[in-house]
Amino acid sequence: MPTNTLEKLRSQVLSLSESERAELASQLIKSLDGPADEGVAEAWEEEIVRRIAQIDSGEAELLSLDEFRRRMRAKIGSP
């Protein structure tokens, strides 16, 4: 797209209300996403059920936020 066309479009877009710009931005971002993968929602549902079962059975180790942060900092070497 030529620069002057882009500038003209940018100027027009910036004159929109905040909610109109937000809606447009959302639509533009969605237009960059590829098609939805089939089965993703079902796979996530199965993963959630699996993780809840691990928690309920005591198989999963639950951490406090402080402990999680401590472990992550130790892994990445942050203070």
Side-chain angles (χ1 to χ4, degrees):
M1 183 179 294
T3 304
N4 60 350
T5 303
L6 184 57
E7 276 304 315
K8 187 182 215 181
L9 182 57
R10 182 181 293 124
S11 176
Q12 290 173 338
V13 167
L14 291 175
S15 70
L16 297 172
S17 70
E18 186 175 323
S19 63
E20 290 171 323
R21 290 192 320 270
E23 183 178 344
L24 178 59
S26 175
Q27 291 172 359
L28 289 171
I29 290 169
K30 285 179 186 175
S31 76
L32 298 174
D33 290 339
D37 293 336
E38 289 188 32
V40 169
E42 184 179 333
W44 271 114
E45 182 66 28
E46 290 172 7
E47 180 65 13
I48 291 166
V49 168
R50 184 185 71 77
R51 290 182 187 195
I52 290 171
Q54 286 180 323
I55 292 168
D56 289 345
S57 72
E59 181 183 348
E61 177 186 8
L62 300 180
L63 304 174
S64 69
L65 179 58
D66 289 338
E67 177 63 13
F68 170 78
R69 286 181 176 160
R70 186 191 68 71
R71 289 185 185 190
M72 290 301 105
R73 286 183 178 120
K75 283 187 181 217
I76 62 173
S78 295

